[in-house]
Amino acid sequence: MSEGEAMEIEAAATAAAATTTTTTTNSNSNSNSNNNLDDDEEDIADLSLLLDSAQDSSSTSPSTTIQTLTSILTESQNRHGPKASSIKERAIYLLARTHCSMQSYDSVVALLTGSTCSAFFLNVTKAKCAKVVRAVLDIVCSLAPEELDMQQQICLNIIEWTQQEKRSFLRQRVQAKLASVLFLKGKYGEAQTLVDGLLTELKKLDDKQLLVETHLVESKIHHGLRNLPKSKAALTASRTCANAIYVGPGLQSSIDGMSGILHCEEGDYNTAHSYFLEAFEQLDQLEEGKGGGAKASANANASANVKEGSALSCLKYMMLCKILDSLTKALKLSSQGGVGARSDKAEVDISGMISSKQAVKFAGKDIEAMSAIASAASRRSLKEYEAVTEKYSHELQDDLLIKHHLKFLHEQLLESNLIRIIEPYSCVEIEHVAELIDMPLALVEKKLSQMILDGKFNGILDQGKGQLIVYEEGEKDLAMEKGLEVIANMDNVVSSLFVRSHALRTTMA
């Protein structure tokens, strides 16, 4: 073969390769353009019109809106492209809100696991399905926070469906939500059983985000059961997991709020106040970011219950800590005698806090109730305190922490009032004390006996004569105390020597 022929063959091969590459590129570009054309030509005009008509609530009734949204989800063409799926997802959210606004909670329960959304869930990814289910649960819980039975039934239905479909991650999410619902219903035993099983699974998977939330629910459950050591341990586990990941402001405020509750239970009111302040500031910013503002706070005060974990509840806890901290200092003095028999209003003054720029917008019955409690406590007036608790029973008794500490506060006020009455006497009739404090004789006698046993004052009850005999507190004999310490130390030395001598005798024998 000549050199010219070889050059011609090489040129022909190069041209053929270039032609093949061009053909392949053109075919790929044609296929991509066809795919883009299919996406662009996705026919969803009718679905968009139906969704727009459903969103226009002013011109349609709720029943018509429900029919329209249901027709979008059950349309005969069974379209599940990207745009169609987005429209159907928005339709599900709007349908849940419409059912909640009509208070048709049976329809809400059957929404996710019924035939309405079944086709949509079968044709979307598992991640999208989990996102929609969690979003609907959040919508229902926010719009119907008091319908705990309905929330529980929805969670149970979803858990049953996820078990059939073998969707473990979604089931765990819903079980965590169910545990918090059971806690709000006061079913601490069932919630604890559910959380224990769930934590066993989550620790194997090492799902940090869900571990943080579940340990936090566990801490709340143990606090409801008054098991403070376990509640503190669960909160520590939640904080440990939270340190390894990014935690949103809402969840972080819940952790800070729970830390404040536990410190409040331990009597460390200053630390508890600082935690509640952190949680309050975060929640206040979140509520303002959602467009809440003063209008939302006014609606919160007008609603039946103050939502747990809201800025208003943290503000009430802050006021409670300030009342308890100031009053406890005064009552510790009063139990020692005449020095603490008087209490100045400035010791329990909280007016500066509720007039701050952040707290003015939360003015309402809840703030009035806490201010009235502070006023009664500052005057150490038991009658005024009982009148306030009866007048604002809903605002003060529905919260677990406030209810518990107000009971403690009542006992402290009762003791301080009894001490103030018996201070001038060395011997006084119990009936006279009961008349002065305006309480039943049997209750006063029982309380005085408890105070004597607790060492609040020195005295005895002469039940035969119906008298209380009060002894003056004498000065402690330091010489006697030191002598008893020396005798106790000598006893320890002699006992140690006896043991050693017995060991030597045993060895020699």
Side-chain angles (χ1 to χ4, degrees):
M1 182 182 295
S2 65
E3 184 177 355
E5 291 177 348
M7 293 178 65
E8 289 180 0
I9 292 172
E10 185 178 355
T14 304
T19 303
T20 304
T21 304
T22 304
T23 304
T24 305
T25 304
N26 291 335
S27 62
N28 290 335
S29 62
N30 290 334
S31 63
N32 290 335
S33 63
N34 289 334
N35 289 336
N36 293 334
L37 189 62
D38 291 340
D39 291 342
D40 292 339
E41 291 181 355
E42 186 179 353
D43 187 13
I44 58 167
D46 55 337
L47 298 181
S48 298
L49 289 174
L50 289 174
L51 183 61
D52 291 339
S53 65
Q55 289 177 337
D56 188 8
S57 58
S58 60
S59 60
T60 57
S61 62
S63 58
T64 306
T65 302
I66 291 174
Q67 292 177 359
T68 304
L69 295 172
T70 304
S71 65
I72 294 175
L73 296 170
T74 58
E75 47 99 15
S76 58
Q77 298 183 33
N78 201 21
R79 287 165 287 182
H80 295 286
K83 295 181 180 180
S85 296
S86 177
I87 289 176
K88 290 183 178 182
E89 180 183 351
R90 290 162 58 192
I92 292 174
Y93 299 154
L94 185 56
L95 191 58
R97 291 190 180 95
T98 307
H99 282 310
C100 289
S101 64
M102 294 179 63
Q103 298 184 353
S104 55
Y105 299 124
D106 293 336
S107 301
V108 176
V109 170
L111 174 62
L112 294 176
T113 56
S115 59
T116 306
C117 300
S118 58
F120 174 78
F121 288 147
L122 289 173
N123 289 277
V124 296
T125 61
K126 290 184 177 181
K128 172 71 77 173
C129 177
K131 173 193 171 186
V132 172
V133 169
R134 294 202 304 268
V136 171
L137 275 177
D138 292 339
I139 290 171
V140 171
C141 294
S142 61
L143 295 180
E146 298 178 12
E147 298 297 329
L148 298 177
D149 292 332
M150 181 263 293
Q151 296 178 22
Q152 180 183 357
Q153 190 59 47
I154 290 177
C155 292
L156 291 174
N157 289 353
I158 296 174
I159 290 171
E160 183 180 356
W161 177 75
T162 53
Q163 289 173 344
Q164 294 173 357
E165 298 292 329
K166 297 181 180 180
R167 301 192 179 188
S168 300
F169 293 103
L170 179 58
R171 173 183 56 80
Q172 292 164 357
R173 289 279 178 185
V174 180
Q175 282 181 332
K177 181 64 179 177
L178 177 60
S180 62
V181 172
L182 291 173
F183 164 73
L184 293 176
K185 292 184 69 176
K187 296 182 179 180
Y188 302 131
E190 296 180 22
Q192 183 59 45
T193 303
L194 181 61
V195 164
D196 289 341
L198 183 58
L199 284 174
T200 304
E201 296 182 32
L202 294 177
K203 288 176 182 177
K204 294 178 182 178
L205 298 173
D206 199 25
D207 187 347
K208 297 290 187 184
Q209 181 69 30
L210 196 52
L211 275 171
V212 172
E213 299 174 8
T214 309
H215 277 304
L216 184 59
V217 174
E218 182 189 19
S219 178
K220 293 179 180 179
I221 293 169
H222 284 304
H223 174 253
L225 294 170
R226 308 303 303 165
N227 192 339
L228 298 184
K230 285 190 175 182
S231 178
K232 200 170 183 179
L235 183 62
T236 303
S238 179
R239 281 190 174 276
T240 304
C241 295
N243 289 335
I245 60 172
Y246 169 74
V247 176
L251 185 56
Q252 184 62 51
S253 64
S254 299
I255 295 174
D256 290 338
M258 194 63 210
S259 300
I261 289 174
L262 293 181
H263 279 91
C264 189
E265 295 286 5
E266 293 175 351
D268 189 359
Y269 301 119
N270 287 327
T271 306
H273 184 276
S274 65
Y275 275 115
F276 289 137
L277 180 59
E278 290 286 336
F280 171 76
E281 290 177 348
Q282 294 183 61
L283 290 169
D284 190 27
Q285 291 178 359
L286 285 175
E287 291 175 4
E288 286 183 352
K290 292 178 181 179
K295 184 177 179 181
S297 63
N299 292 335
N301 281 285
S303 62
N305 285 318
V306 176
K307 185 180 178 182
E308 183 192 9
S310 63
L312 180 57
S313 65
C314 290
L315 182 60
K316 290 174 67 177
Y317 293 159
M318 289 163 59
M319 298 171 72
L320 177 67
C321 289
K322 189 166 184 180
I323 294 169
L324 292 173
D325 183 51
S326 301
L327 191 63
T328 300
K329 293 175 182 177
L331 294 181
K332 283 181 180 178
L333 290 174
S334 69
S335 64
Q336 298 174 0
V339 177
R342 297 177 300 274
S343 178
D344 188 10
K345 185 178 179 181
E347 293 175 349
V348 205
D349 187 16
I350 60 170
S351 60
M353 183 172 64
I354 61 173
S355 62
S356 65
K357 189 173 181 180
Q358 284 185 320
V360 165
K361 65 181 181 181
F362 292 98
K365 292 194 69 175
D366 293 280
I367 303 301
E368 290 176 6
M370 298 305 296
S371 301
I373 285 291
S375 177
S378 65
R379 298 188 183 93
R380 291 171 60 181
S381 173
L382 196 60
K383 282 187 178 181
E384 185 179 348
Y385 176 85
E386 292 175 348
V388 170
T389 53
E390 183 177 355
K391 179 180 179 181
Y392 298 101
S393 59
H394 174 71
E395 288 78 14
L396 298 175
Q397 300 297 323
D398 288 351
D399 189 278
L400 186 65
L401 179 70
I402 294 178
K403 179 180 179 181
H404 174 258
H405 282 279
L406 287 185
K407 183 178 179 181
F408 163 76
L409 184 59
H410 180 269
E411 294 294 322
Q412 293 286 336
L413 286 175
L414 177 58
E415 290 180 3
S416 66
N417 276 272
L418 287 173
I419 288 175
R420 183 165 56 180
I421 290 173
I422 66 176
E423 273 174 350
Y425 301 100
S426 60
C427 181
V428 60
E429 292 185 355
I430 303 174
E431 186 177 355
H432 178 64
V433 176
E435 290 178 359
L436 291 176
I437 202 170
D438 194 16
M439 292 182 67
L441 177 62
L443 183 60
V444 172
E445 186 176 349
K446 180 181 178 181
K447 189 61 184 177
L448 288 172
S449 64
Q450 289 178 354
M451 293 172 66
I452 292 172
L453 293 174
D454 292 339
K456 298 295 176 66
F457 65 92
N458 291 329
I460 60 171
L461 289 173
D462 189 344
Q463 293 182 330
K465 297 181 179 179
Q467 294 177 344
L468 170 67
I469 301 173
V470 183
Y471 300 128
E472 293 184 3
E473 292 187 3
E475 295 183 359
K476 293 182 180 179
D477 191 350
L478 298 179
M480 178 67 71
E481 291 183 0
K482 295 293 183 181
L484 291 174
E485 290 180 6
V486 170
I487 293 173
N489 292 332
M490 288 295 297
D491 180 63
N492 292 333
V493 171
V494 172
S495 298
S496 177
L497 291 174
F498 177 77
V499 172
R500 291 185 179 184
S501 64
H502 180 70
L504 287 172
R505 287 195 301 269
T506 305
T507 304
M508 294 176 64

